[in-house]
Amino acid sequence: MTKDVIALTPTMPDVRTLLAGLYAGGPDVRVRTAAADGAVVQLCAPDGSTLVSIEAPILIHTPGEPARLLGTGTTAPDTPVWWTEARATTAVPEAGHLAGSFAGRLATVLGGTTWPPEAATTDVIPLTTHTTTTPTKAAPHPAIDVLTDTTAVVLQDRPVIPMTSWLSDALRTAITSDRALHIVTPNTARLTLPTRNALGGHPHRWVAQDPQNGYYDGLSGAVLRWQNGTFTPARTTSGTTPVAPAFANTTDTGDRQLILALRTRHPADEQLVLGRALETTWLHLTGTPPAGWSTAEPINLPWSTRQLTDLARRRAPQPTWLIAIGHPDRPALATIRIARTPAGVEEDITLTLGYGKHEPPPLEGIPSLAEALTTANHGLTSMLTSLRHAPRDLTIAPHIATPPNPIALTLGPDTVHDIGTHHAQHPPLNLTPTQLGPTSRPALHYPLGDATSDQTWATLKHLTQHLRTGT
């Protein structure tokens, strides 16, 4: 039985419906309010151990979001739709069935569906298992399955692993307690880009289960072993770490991803509206603005530059991390980090768009986009555009991936001024930048190639070395 069960309903679960779901465990199950962020109630065994944690229902306005995170075969009510997630502990066999009964009762009463569909039931689930067995340490968060002195382990058995509010909070819990977060999944699972970016790297890991070779790192391919309370790279007699054969098991489908890494800087004043550079980029490349935004997945809020600005202002001086999503017909996803710095308010944006084998990415539109971003009041300091062979749906599989090839570098007028206009206009390469904006304070756009040659990395390296020596 899967650990996570989700009810998708056309109307919000009211108190009466929630109570019907909570009675899925019969008289032996206790209900208590949860302390962890995102979980509103927990179903507990008589000894107080947690069986199922239930997240507050989320209203999703973004079209296609259930299918993006749960699989294209998911049948769900049209958006807006209410997403109610129940997470079962893996320590008690009945817990998964209890989560399925909770979600099944919500879907039955409200006319919705569940994921996975085979988990749904309306049966009362009696407890027949002793519940005194606990993980190595009592987990401080409902998303954490095993806690050791060095590592917080999260088990996930779903096709796509999103950066949910629970998983984000589990990562914060691990970091603040000086632990690594290890997410363990089947090797058929995929990460969303926000989850991949949030993991970052060592000491955090994506641990993929290989039926033939045990465990391996889903991002590096290193074979892993559970040792001393953590997943660590295996060593051969010569001291090297082998790479799992499953990691190299990949096929080039012809899909590609266009990646734009933008940085903006704005004066910190009351009239500032953030997100406009991203919105302009999205409109230029897809013809539509972003469909939605949120601080976690699933993306549930309609796109609004004013609302995301208000959130960043309330959180200042602490930074704000956000996600934006596009419409289903053109896979596009952006992560945005907004920070207050001595120079003003800065946005660090990475926008990724997916294209199939017979869908040429709009590379010809990059120069005009660069002009739009640097001549309007968007505060662009730099933009690096690159292209890579990767899935159109923007997910990350536990297989080897080719790095992106740079296509163009754009520098905003303030950046060019700081480097020195003459110096920036004359790199020691067979490379002529395009001047954008007024001659007195221009922006510069450097075309690097069409992503068909790995030499563009050498070109970019030499260019950046030249720019760093500016005066």
Side-chain angles (χ1 to χ4, degrees), residues 288-304:
T288 61
W293 74 283
S294 185
T295 58
E297 294 175 293
I299 311 301
N300 62 316
L301 300 172
W303 174 251
S304 169

Side-chain angles (χ1 to χ4, degrees), residues 112-334:
T113 60
T114 62
W115 179 91
E118 65 273 13
T121 178
T122 57
D123 297 340
V124 173
I125 309 298
L127 295 181
T128 59
T129 303
H130 254 332
T131 57
T132 55
T133 300
T134 59
T136 307
K137 289 183 179 289
H141 190 280
I144 296 174
D145 295 281
V146 176
L147 190 72
T148 71
D149 290 336
T150 61
T151 306
V153 180
V154 175
L155 306 179
Q156 291 275 274
D157 185 8
R158 50 203 294 175
V160 177
I161 314 301
M163 182 46 60
T164 62
S165 60
W166 284 16
L167 192 55
S168 177
D169 192 58
L171 177 60
R172 285 193 297 270
T173 298
I175 292 173
T176 56
S177 62
D178 198 25
R179 290 179 170 91
L181 180 71
H182 290 182
I183 303 176
V184 182
T185 76
N187 68 351
T188 54
R190 294 162 288 147
L191 304 185
T192 64
L193 286 173
T195 303
R196 165 64 182 91
N197 294 340
L199 280 178
H202 183 77
H204 310 303
R205 289 190 189 278
W206 175 19
V207 181
Q209 292 178 296
D210 183 359
Q212 296 181 339
N213 296 286
Y215 301 95
Y216 67 96
D217 190 301
L219 301 177
S220 71
V223 174
L224 302 175
R225 297 286 183 266
W226 179 259
Q227 186 175 6
N228 298 326
T230 191
F231 285 98
T232 187
R235 302 293 182 187
T236 64
T237 53
S238 61
T240 60
T241 298
V243 174
F247 186 69
N249 185 18
T250 183
T251 302
D252 184 5
T253 62
D255 289 1
R256 286 174 290 179
Q257 294 177 2
L258 181 64
I259 307 164
L260 299 100
L262 301 85
R263 290 185 176 177
T264 70
R265 185 185 302 128
H266 312 271
D269 59 54
E270 294 182 356
Q271 305 304 315
L272 174 62
V273 178
L274 298 166
R276 287 179 171 172
L278 176 61
E279 184 177 84
T280 296
T281 303
W282 220 298
L283 278 165
H284 197 91
L285 296 176
T286 71
T288 61
W293 74 283
S294 185
T295 58
E297 294 175 293
I299 311 301
N300 62 316
L301 300 172
W303 174 251
S304 169
T305 55
R306 173 56 62 186
Q307 289 182 1
L308 69 86
T309 301
D310 290 344
L311 175 64
R313 184 172 283 118
R314 289 195 301 270
R315 291 186 171 184
Q318 296 300 315
T320 296
W321 186 80
L322 305 170
I323 311 168
I325 196 76
H327 295 272
D329 59 340
R330 170 56 58 217
L333 186 146

Side-chain angles (χ1 to χ4, degrees), residues 414-424 465-471:
D414 289 348
T415 307
V416 172
H417 179 266
D418 292 343
I419 293 171
T421 303
H422 184 270
H423 185 83
Q465 288 174 342
H466 169 76
L467 295 173
R468 289 194 185 104
T469 64
T471 56

Side-chain angles (χ1 to χ4, degrees), residues 278 303 308 320-324 334-338 347-350:
L278 176 61
W303 174 251
L308 69 86
T320 296
W321 186 80
L322 305 170
I323 311 168
T335 56
I336 311 111
R337 186 180 187 274
I338 301 168
E347 297 173 289
D348 195 340
I349 303 165
T350 301

Side-chain angles (χ1 to χ4, degrees), residues 382 409-411 415-416 418-429 431 433 444 446 448 459-471:
S382 67
L409 175 66
T410 306
L411 301 181
T415 307
V416 172
D418 292 343
I419 293 171
T421 303
H422 184 270
H423 185 83
Q425 287 176 326
H426 298 87
L429 300 162
L431 187 64
L444 295 176
Y446 301 85
L448 302 174
T459 302
L460 178 62
K461 179 181 178 181
H462 292 149
L463 173 60
T464 54
Q465 288 174 342
H466 169 76
L467 295 173
R468 289 194 185 104
T469 64
T471 56

